[in-house]
Amino acid sequence: MIKSRRQQKLEQKQLQSRLNKSSSFATKTPFRDAERNFKSRLPPPDFSSVIDFYNLENCIDEIKNKVIEVELAVDLGEECENLFGKCKDGEYIERKKAYLFKDLPGFIFIRNPFTPDAQKNVIKRCLKDFTKHPNISNLDTHYILPKQGLWELYEKVFNNILDENDKECFIPLKATSTNKNSDMRYTDDDDESPKSTKLTTINKDKPDPSPSPTVSILPPSQLIRKLRWITLGYQYHWSTKSYHFDRRFQFPQDINDLTTAVVKAIDGLGYPDDSFVHKYDVKKWKPEAGVVNYYQLKDNLMAHVDRSEINMDAPLISFSFGHSCIFLIGGTTRETAPLALYLRSGDISIMCGPSRGCFHGVPRILEETLPTYLAPNNVEDPEWDIYGDFMSTTRINVNVRQVF
Ligand SMILES: O=C(O)CCC(=O)C(=O)O
Ligand SMILES: [Fe+2]
């Protein structure tokens, strides 16, 4: 059969497209495979290899053998009741254990040491206080947020003090410009080479990201669910993956205290054969920067390495609240198959030592995993209603770093 030139061209195009696709298999890595598994809705993910610290006895042996149980240097209950909460009569929370992983020196997991009330306090801080200026959020790129903070405005709507048609609820867009510097938080971290943040380059001009011409004006109740992150302390410039060393705001004292307690508690943790021991003098610990991530149920965070800090010896401390998620942590490239674990409300994960340079990410937020004590309509605590309502679709992560 003689093919027309058009037909020949079409076939050539199809062949090229197939070749391109197969060459993109070069980017098919064990980390990406794991992400693909946990992101999948249909068929649902295979959860059999996920480490579950609330059910370790029933995990398969292959998983149990990777985990080492150790004792914290400090009982987070006894010594830090003001931070993690005082147990009610008859209530008991295990607050002296941590877990290490055989193939991942420096990664430490602590099961939720918080009481429900202590968790609620941190969640309220994340939603009502940390979302206020001067802290920057992803919404600041596109919107002129109200002085009182978006949450307080939303609270007035939620409590029927304001109607969303009221002019106070109008949140204007920022004027768009031709500057192409966009908000880079959710682009893939494809560059696997460790970047050094040399002091000579840190103060070079870092233009603010440009507002997108496609975002729309939204009422507070919808805009608040578009909140994805805010930054604490040293503000972060996502597109250059470096800090604004000239934009530093007061770091919240309560988050400072929580992380200091954790740094004290993990001191000296290590493998039984001493092949890795974590040491970081608590007197040197300075929480200088933080990111609060707000995930809605369909959100995820792609594999990345946090390497913008000049001090990579200090631990990176991360708290989870609200819905559970799957957390993946692998090696210094995506070629290492990651460990998968459940992070539940209150859990603390710490990356220090070699694990500080490892790829990690959150491929999945797990529906219907909000603890009942964080759910709305709690008659005992009507003030929680608005927070519970927000948390019914949300996971919050607070992660804290020392920069220098
Ligand atoms: O949400 C999490 O648990 C991880 C967040 C994270 O890795 C980051 O913000 O760099
Ligand atoms: Fe991270």
Side-chain angles (χ1 to χ4, degrees):
M1 191 178 70
I2 298 171
K3 289 176 186 164
S4 69
R5 286 200 52 179
R6 208 170 144 214
Q7 182 71 18
Q8 280 175 14
K9 260 195 169 164
L10 189 72
E11 281 181 10
Q12 220 169 6
K13 239 182 160 178
Q14 282 169 344
L15 180 68
Q16 194 56 49
S17 144
R18 240 174 305 167
L19 282 173
N20 287 348
K21 264 197 194 135
S22 68
S23 75
S24 78
F25 275 111
T27 64
K28 192 172 145 47
T29 59
F31 205 111
R32 288 235 188 277
D33 281 345
E35 282 180 321
R36 221 168 281 139
N37 170 44
F38 290 111
K39 277 182 178 176
S40 171
R41 305 267 152 188
L42 257 181
D46 173 4
F47 290 107
S48 62
S49 63
V50 184
I51 306 175
D52 183 351
F53 289 97
Y54 292 79
N55 194 13
L56 260 189
E57 352 28 282
N58 291 324
C59 284
I60 52 175
D61 283 346
E62 198 195 326
I63 292 177
K64 269 194 280 194
N65 294 339
K66 290 182 179 167
V67 175
I68 305 168
E69 190 181 304
V70 288
E71 195 161 286
L72 293 169
V74 169
D75 185 314
L76 294 175
E78 271 170 29
E79 299 201 20
C80 321
E81 221 170 53
N82 57 327
L83 300 170
F84 295 99
K86 187 172 164 44
C87 287
K88 298 206 169 98
D89 283 346
E91 191 182 23
Y92 172 76
I93 304 173
E94 164 55 63
R95 294 158 146 180
K96 206 162 182 205
K97 264 191 206 164
Y99 299 90
L100 311 179
F101 303 82
K102 281 198 183 121
D103 311 326
L104 207 59
F107 183 66
I108 304 169
F109 174 88
I110 302 174
R111 250 163 53 166
N112 169 29
F114 294 88
T115 60
D117 283 343
Q119 282 191 45
K120 285 175 164 183
N121 284 339
V122 183
I123 293 171
K124 283 183 187 171
R125 296 275 287 149
C126 290
L127 292 173
K128 189 171 181 138
D129 301 331
F130 302 159
T131 51
K132 276 189 194 155
H133 286 156
N135 296 337
I136 307 290
S137 80
N138 63 304
L139 299 175
D140 283 296
T141 304
H142 313 287
Y143 296 92
I144 302 171
L145 296 178
K147 279 219 167 59
Q148 59 188 301
L150 180 58
W151 185 266
E152 280 188 18
L153 182 62
Y154 168 55
E155 226 166 25
K156 289 184 187 160
V157 173
F158 188 89
N159 295 323
N160 295 319
I161 295 166
L162 266 183
D163 184 278
E164 286 204 303
N165 294 319
D166 192 289
K167 69 173 185 327
E168 207 189 320
C169 288
F170 178 76
I171 301 164
L173 294 173
K174 282 192 176 157
T176 52
S177 77
T178 49
N179 183 348
K180 290 277 178 317
N181 184 28
S182 66
D183 170 0
M184 303 283 284
R185 174 61 171 152
Y186 297 100
T187 55
D188 201 1
D189 183 356
D190 264 328
D191 178 3
E192 294 183 355
S193 64
K195 284 189 204 66
S196 68
T197 318
K198 293 201 186 75
L199 282 164
T200 47
T201 63
I202 55 180
N203 278 326
K204 79 170 192 265
D205 198 25
K206 292 172 184 165
D208 286 333
S210 295
S212 156
T214 58
V215 300
S216 42
I217 290 177
L218 291 170
S221 63
Q222 287 180 39
L223 195 55
I224 196 72
R225 284 196 153 74
K226 305 262 178 219
L227 179 68
R228 292 294 177 273
W229 54 260
I230 65 96
T231 38
L232 299 169
Y234 280 114
Q235 299 297 296
Y236 197 65
H237 192 246
W238 297 103
S239 57
T240 58
K241 297 192 171 78
S242 62
Y243 288 97
H244 280 288
F245 292 94
D246 52 353
R247 243 182 245 179
R248 184 186 190 182
F249 307 129
Q250 183 83 35
F251 198 89
Q253 191 60 48
D254 47 355
I255 304 297
N256 179 331
D257 294 347
L258 278 174
T259 60
T260 305
V262 172
V263 173
K264 241 191 231 171
I266 60 175
D267 190 41
L269 294 194
Y271 293 158
D273 65 359
D274 284 346
S275 56
F276 177 80
V277 177
H278 167 69
K279 278 258 151 241
Y280 196 79
D281 185 351
V282 71
K283 288 196 240 44
K284 287 205 297 193
W285 171 246
K286 284 183 284 164
E288 292 170 319
V291 183
V292 182
N293 290 299
Y294 307 85
Y295 297 84
Q296 294 296 300
L297 294 174
K298 298 263 171 334
D299 292 338
N300 60 70
L301 183 61
M302 297 285 287
H304 65 280
V305 180
D306 296 293
R307 51 179 152 224
S308 308
E309 293 72 29
I310 287 149
N311 180 344
M312 290 291 279
D313 297 327
L316 189 158
I317 301 173
S318 186
F319 301 90
S320 289
F321 298 103
H323 280 81
S324 307
C325 74
I326 298 287
F327 181 77
L328 298 178
I329 176 156
T332 51
T333 72
R334 291 187 185 83
E335 294 303 326
T336 305
L339 285 177
L341 41 131
Y342 291 109
L343 291 183
R344 294 197 170 85
S345 199
D347 289 346
I348 307 174
S349 53
I350 301 131
M351 289 184 274
C352 51
S355 79
R356 185 68 177 76
C358 289
F359 273 87
H360 58 278
V362 177
R364 184 80 177 239
I365 310 296
L366 298 162
E367 277 160 40
E368 291 172 38
T369 56
L370 186 73
T372 47
Y373 55 79
L374 297 181
N377 296 324
N378 186 338
V379 274
E380 285 164 31
D381 185 4
E383 203 214 313
W384 179 253
D385 245 26
I386 181 169
Y387 298 98
D389 182 66
F390 191 81
M391 292 312 290
S392 66
T393 60
T394 308
R395 168 179 182 259
I396 294 181
N397 162 261
V398 183
N399 64 77
V400 179
R401 305 112 191 265
Q402 176 161 347
V403 178
F404 289 104

